[in-house]
Amino acid sequence: MTKKPLIISTDPGIDDIAAMTISLFAKELDVRMIVPTWGNVALNYTLQNTLNLEKFLNTKVPVVVGANQPLVRPAISAASVHGKTGIAGFEFPTADKSLVRPGLAATLMYKEIKNSSEKVTLLGIGPLTDYALLFKQYPDVVDNIEEVVIMGANIGRGNHSPLAEYNIAGDPEAAQVVFHSGLKMKVAPLEIGNKAHVTQEQMKEIKACGKVGDMLYSMFSNIHEPDGDPRIKIFDPTAVGLILCPEAFTLKQADVEIELAGRYTSGASVIDFMSKTPNAEVAVDVDVDKFADWFIKSIQNAEQERK
């Protein structure tokens, strides 16, 4: 099997940890680089969380330090949902910085992508600041990129503001750059994460997988949704699902534009499914049973592959 080269931009965050864990052990993927960025919590936490996860999983994927703030705006935070450090509920072993590759994220991503014999897929499960910097600094990089797959945007109501989803609202200017990159894009919007979920019984099945399952069970049990919804909703792994389990999703072509100037709508995703000039495929539905089955099997695979 030819593995798909992958770079991950992430802001862990509990659900980011699940998405990275699945990706690092997926037989179909070759994770070349992880770029922690500001997002759910500050960069110093997301960087350490990434390193700690790799130590726990015994993986050695290079880590590149990403952006510590949005392109233009002040940073926002989701610490109230994910805990102060971003990963409430589980104590990881503290890792050193030996996996950190020195240099600017945009430059190091550019070199990795240009030197790859196969086109690279970009997975974005946090604010898109680093990918926007990559495209602005090195516009020719798009020739070596297969597609961009993100968890972000919203078709209807938002979770950061009434009309804006968190990852996009965090850096709307960066998101607009990425959506106008000319690259093939797949989007798992907020609505898909709201629908994709595992039950409490399924979470017990995950917990029984072993150390990896227990880690994820502990963290997901500590997510505090602002709306008080008791379901275990799965957000960032839905973007990985678009790559590895596409049969679970229904996608529609759309033109996605990001509101940059609205007084009450800044950061909103304007998704036009009637556009004659689409720039993305947006997931509009998910088969919850298929997704949950894939998600659980992916965690079981991670447990089996973890050395």
Side-chain angles (χ1 to χ4, degrees), residues 225-250:
E225 292 289 351
D227 59 5
D229 193 327
R231 296 179 303 153
I232 310 296
K233 293 185 280 189
I234 310 294
F235 288 94
D236 288 337
T238 59
V240 185
L242 286 179
I243 301 172
L244 299 180
C245 188
E247 63 273 16
F249 300 88
T250 302

mmCIF file of all heavy atoms in Angstrom, residues 225-250:
data_model
loop_
_atom_site.group_PDB
_atom_site.id
_atom_site.type_symbol
_atom_site.label_atom_id
_atom_site.label_comp_id
_atom_site.label_asym_id
_atom_site.label_seq_id
_atom_site.Cartn_x
_atom_site.Cartn_y
_atom_site.Cartn_z
ATOM 1 N N GLU A 225 -18.893 20.802 27.339
ATOM 2 C CA GLU A 225 -19.497 21.520 26.224
ATOM 3 C C GLU A 225 -20.258 22.741 26.749
ATOM 4 O O GLU A 225 -20.983 22.652 27.743
ATOM 5 C CB GLU A 225 -20.467 20.614 25.457
ATOM 6 C CG GLU A 225 -19.790 19.474 24.702
ATOM 7 C CD GLU A 225 -19.004 19.965 23.496
ATOM 8 O OE1 GLU A 225 -19.128 21.160 23.145
ATOM 9 O OE2 GLU A 225 -18.256 19.153 22.920
ATOM 10 N N PRO A 226 -20.096 23.902 26.073
ATOM 11 C CA PRO A 226 -20.793 25.110 26.534
ATOM 12 C C PRO A 226 -22.300 24.952 26.590
ATOM 13 O O PRO A 226 -22.955 25.576 27.417
ATOM 14 C CB PRO A 226 -20.384 26.158 25.488
ATOM 15 C CG PRO A 226 -19.115 25.652 24.896
ATOM 16 C CD PRO A 226 -19.223 24.156 24.931
ATOM 17 N N ASP A 227 -22.868 24.096 25.699
ATOM 18 C CA ASP A 227 -24.329 23.934 25.688
ATOM 19 C C ASP A 227 -24.808 22.836 26.633
ATOM 20 O O ASP A 227 -25.995 22.545 26.707
ATOM 21 C CB ASP A 227 -24.827 23.651 24.270
ATOM 22 C CG ASP A 227 -24.211 22.381 23.665
ATOM 23 O OD1 ASP A 227 -23.462 21.672 24.380
ATOM 24 O OD2 ASP A 227 -24.492 22.092 22.486
ATOM 25 N N GLY A 228 -23.868 22.200 27.355
ATOM 26 C CA GLY A 228 -24.242 21.178 28.312
ATOM 27 C C GLY A 228 -24.650 19.857 27.706
ATOM 28 O O GLY A 228 -25.149 18.963 28.407
ATOM 29 N N ASP A 229 -24.436 19.664 26.413
ATOM 30 C CA ASP A 229 -24.815 18.424 25.726
ATOM 31 C C ASP A 229 -24.024 17.249 26.313
ATOM 32 O O ASP A 229 -22.790 17.280 26.348
ATOM 33 C CB ASP A 229 -24.520 18.556 24.236
ATOM 34 C CG ASP A 229 -25.162 17.453 23.400
ATOM 35 O OD1 ASP A 229 -25.286 16.319 23.901
ATOM 36 O OD2 ASP A 229 -25.527 17.722 22.249
ATOM 37 N N PRO A 230 -24.698 16.202 26.800
ATOM 38 C CA PRO A 230 -23.990 15.087 27.436
ATOM 39 C C PRO A 230 -23.358 14.101 26.450
ATOM 40 O O PRO A 230 -22.565 13.254 26.853
ATOM 41 C CB PRO A 230 -25.092 14.391 28.242
ATOM 42 C CG PRO A 230 -26.340 14.658 27.447
ATOM 43 C CD PRO A 230 -26.162 16.044 26.880
ATOM 44 N N ARG A 231 -23.677 14.189 25.158
ATOM 45 C CA ARG A 231 -23.103 13.257 24.193
ATOM 46 C C ARG A 231 -21.601 13.499 24.048
ATOM 47 O O ARG A 231 -21.125 14.615 24.218
ATOM 48 C CB ARG A 231 -23.774 13.414 22.826
ATOM 49 C CG ARG A 231 -25.246 13.074 22.781
ATOM 50 C CD ARG A 231 -25.807 13.294 21.382
ATOM 51 N NE ARG A 231 -25.581 14.671 20.951
ATOM 52 C CZ ARG A 231 -25.459 15.050 19.679
ATOM 53 N NH1 ARG A 231 -25.536 14.154 18.714
ATOM 54 N NH2 ARG A 231 -25.270 16.307 19.377
ATOM 55 N N ILE A 232 -20.868 12.443 23.716
ATOM 56 C CA ILE A 232 -19.442 12.578 23.457
ATOM 57 C C ILE A 232 -19.284 12.911 21.975
ATOM 58 O O ILE A 232 -19.194 12.030 21.118
ATOM 59 C CB ILE A 232 -18.673 11.278 23.818
ATOM 60 C CG1 ILE A 232 -19.044 10.802 25.217
ATOM 61 C CG2 ILE A 232 -17.166 11.498 23.675
ATOM 62 C CD1 ILE A 232 -18.659 11.752 26.326
ATOM 63 N N LYS A 233 -19.292 14.205 21.667
ATOM 64 C CA LYS A 233 -19.214 14.638 20.275
ATOM 65 C C LYS A 233 -17.762 14.616 19.802
ATOM 66 O O LYS A 233 -16.849 14.940 20.560
ATOM 67 C CB LYS A 233 -19.830 16.030 20.117
ATOM 68 C CG LYS A 233 -21.330 16.034 20.361
ATOM 69 C CD LYS A 233 -21.964 17.372 20.100
ATOM 70 C CE LYS A 233 -21.764 18.322 21.249
ATOM 71 N NZ LYS A 233 -22.568 19.565 21.096
ATOM 72 N N ILE A 234 -17.572 14.226 18.560
ATOM 73 C CA ILE A 234 -16.238 14.032 18.009
ATOM 74 C C ILE A 234 -16.033 15.049 16.879
ATOM 75 O O ILE A 234 -16.651 14.925 15.828
ATOM 76 C CB ILE A 234 -16.065 12.601 17.447
ATOM 77 C CG1 ILE A 234 -16.511 11.556 18.488
ATOM 78 C CG2 ILE A 234 -14.631 12.374 17.007
ATOM 79 C CD1 ILE A 234 -15.657 11.505 19.729
ATOM 80 N N PHE A 235 -15.164 16.025 17.097
ATOM 81 C CA PHE A 235 -14.989 17.091 16.107
ATOM 82 C C PHE A 235 -13.763 16.861 15.219
ATOM 83 O O PHE A 235 -13.892 16.469 14.062
ATOM 84 C CB PHE A 235 -14.924 18.453 16.810
ATOM 85 C CG PHE A 235 -16.246 18.891 17.355
ATOM 86 C CD1 PHE A 235 -16.593 18.636 18.675
ATOM 87 C CD2 PHE A 235 -17.180 19.531 16.546
ATOM 88 C CE1 PHE A 235 -17.829 19.019 19.181
ATOM 89 C CE2 PHE A 235 -18.420 19.912 17.034
ATOM 90 C CZ PHE A 235 -18.742 19.659 18.359
ATOM 91 N N ASP A 236 -12.568 17.119 15.712
ATOM 92 C CA ASP A 236 -11.386 17.064 14.849
ATOM 93 C C ASP A 236 -11.174 15.719 14.148
ATOM 94 O O ASP A 236 -10.748 15.699 12.984
ATOM 95 C CB ASP A 236 -10.127 17.453 15.633
ATOM 96 C CG ASP A 236 -10.104 18.946 15.938
ATOM 97 O OD1 ASP A 236 -10.769 19.716 15.220
ATOM 98 O OD2 ASP A 236 -9.427 19.353 16.897
ATOM 99 N N PRO A 237 -11.457 14.577 14.787
ATOM 100 C CA PRO A 237 -11.300 13.312 14.058
ATOM 101 C C PRO A 237 -12.206 13.181 12.836
ATOM 102 O O PRO A 237 -11.948 12.329 11.979
ATOM 103 C CB PRO A 237 -11.627 12.250 15.113
ATOM 104 C CG PRO A 237 -11.227 12.889 16.408
ATOM 105 C CD PRO A 237 -11.658 14.328 16.231
ATOM 106 N N THR A 238 -13.254 14.012 12.728
ATOM 107 C CA THR A 238 -14.083 13.925 11.522
ATOM 108 C C THR A 238 -13.280 14.320 10.277
ATOM 109 O O THR A 238 -13.534 13.803 9.184
ATOM 110 C CB THR A 238 -15.341 14.803 11.622
ATOM 111 O OG1 THR A 238 -14.972 16.173 11.818
ATOM 112 C CG2 THR A 238 -16.243 14.340 12.760
ATOM 113 N N ALA A 239 -12.304 15.224 10.438
ATOM 114 C CA ALA A 239 -11.467 15.597 9.292
ATOM 115 C C ALA A 239 -10.595 14.419 8.868
ATOM 116 O O ALA A 239 -10.407 14.173 7.671
ATOM 117 C CB ALA A 239 -10.599 16.807 9.643
ATOM 118 N N VAL A 240 -10.073 13.676 9.839
ATOM 119 C CA VAL A 240 -9.310 12.466 9.521
ATOM 120 C C VAL A 240 -10.227 11.447 8.860
ATOM 121 O O VAL A 240 -9.842 10.737 7.924
ATOM 122 C CB VAL A 240 -8.660 11.872 10.784
ATOM 123 C CG1 VAL A 240 -7.769 10.689 10.417
ATOM 124 C CG2 VAL A 240 -7.852 12.929 11.528
ATOM 125 N N GLY A 241 -11.474 11.391 9.323
ATOM 126 C CA GLY A 241 -12.451 10.489 8.725
ATOM 127 C C GLY A 241 -12.713 10.796 7.255
ATOM 128 O O GLY A 241 -12.945 9.880 6.458
ATOM 129 N N LEU A 242 -12.679 12.065 6.884
ATOM 130 C CA LEU A 242 -12.862 12.411 5.471
ATOM 131 C C LEU A 242 -11.776 11.783 4.604
ATOM 132 O O LEU A 242 -12.014 11.465 3.436
ATOM 133 C CB LEU A 242 -12.836 13.934 5.291
ATOM 134 C CG LEU A 242 -14.064 14.717 5.763
ATOM 135 C CD1 LEU A 242 -13.856 16.201 5.543
ATOM 136 C CD2 LEU A 242 -15.326 14.252 5.042
ATOM 137 N N ILE A 243 -10.582 11.591 5.176
ATOM 138 C CA ILE A 243 -9.478 10.981 4.440
ATOM 139 C C ILE A 243 -9.570 9.458 4.468
ATOM 140 O O ILE A 243 -9.404 8.787 3.452
ATOM 141 C CB ILE A 243 -8.127 11.428 5.028
ATOM 142 C CG1 ILE A 243 -7.980 12.954 4.971
ATOM 143 C CG2 ILE A 243 -6.957 10.756 4.300
ATOM 144 C CD1 ILE A 243 -6.763 13.481 5.710
ATOM 145 N N LEU A 244 -9.836 8.892 5.651
ATOM 146 C CA LEU A 244 -9.713 7.451 5.857
ATOM 147 C C LEU A 244 -11.039 6.694 5.776
ATOM 148 O O LEU A 244 -11.038 5.483 5.553
ATOM 149 C CB LEU A 244 -9.068 7.180 7.225
ATOM 150 C CG LEU A 244 -7.658 7.745 7.425
ATOM 151 C CD1 LEU A 244 -7.150 7.408 8.811
ATOM 152 C CD2 LEU A 244 -6.704 7.220 6.369
ATOM 153 N N CYS A 245 -12.142 7.382 5.983
ATOM 154 C CA CYS A 245 -13.453 6.711 5.966
ATOM 155 C C CYS A 245 -14.465 7.567 5.201
ATOM 156 O O CYS A 245 -15.509 7.944 5.734
ATOM 157 C CB CYS A 245 -13.926 6.471 7.405
ATOM 158 S SG CYS A 245 -15.416 5.467 7.561
ATOM 159 N N PRO A 246 -14.160 7.899 3.939
ATOM 160 C CA PRO A 246 -15.028 8.818 3.187
ATOM 161 C C PRO A 246 -16.444 8.291 2.988
ATOM 162 O O PRO A 246 -17.378 9.082 2.803
ATOM 163 C CB PRO A 246 -14.297 8.984 1.852
ATOM 164 C CG PRO A 246 -13.435 7.766 1.722
ATOM 165 C CD PRO A 246 -13.017 7.425 3.122
ATOM 166 N N GLU A 247 -16.596 6.956 3.042
ATOM 167 C CA GLU A 247 -17.924 6.383 2.827
ATOM 168 C C GLU A 247 -18.914 6.748 3.934
ATOM 169 O O GLU A 247 -20.132 6.573 3.764
ATOM 170 C CB GLU A 247 -17.833 4.858 2.702
ATOM 171 C CG GLU A 247 -17.328 4.142 3.932
ATOM 172 C CD GLU A 247 -15.806 4.024 4.004
ATOM 173 O OE1 GLU A 247 -15.106 4.754 3.258
ATOM 174 O OE2 GLU A 247 -15.323 3.221 4.815
ATOM 175 N N ALA A 248 -18.431 7.271 5.052
ATOM 176 C CA ALA A 248 -19.321 7.651 6.144
ATOM 177 C C ALA A 248 -19.920 9.044 5.947
ATOM 178 O O ALA A 248 -20.808 9.439 6.703
ATOM 179 C CB ALA A 248 -18.579 7.600 7.478
ATOM 180 N N PHE A 249 -19.445 9.778 4.927
ATOM 181 C CA PHE A 249 -19.832 11.175 4.778
ATOM 182 C C PHE A 249 -20.534 11.437 3.449
ATOM 183 O O PHE A 249 -20.256 10.797 2.449
ATOM 184 C CB PHE A 249 -18.590 12.072 4.866
ATOM 185 C CG PHE A 249 -17.849 11.964 6.166
ATOM 186 C CD1 PHE A 249 -16.863 10.999 6.331
ATOM 187 C CD2 PHE A 249 -18.135 12.815 7.216
ATOM 188 C CE1 PHE A 249 -16.171 10.891 7.533
ATOM 189 C CE2 PHE A 249 -17.451 12.710 8.414
ATOM 190 C CZ PHE A 249 -16.477 11.746 8.575
ATOM 191 N N THR A 250 -21.423 12.414 3.484
ATOM 192 C CA THR A 250 -22.025 12.964 2.270
ATOM 193 C C THR A 250 -21.447 14.358 2.063
ATOM 194 O O THR A 250 -21.513 15.197 2.972
ATOM 195 C CB THR A 250 -23.548 13.066 2.405
ATOM 196 O OG1 THR A 250 -24.078 11.765 2.685
ATOM 197 C CG2 THR A 250 -24.170 13.619 1.134
#
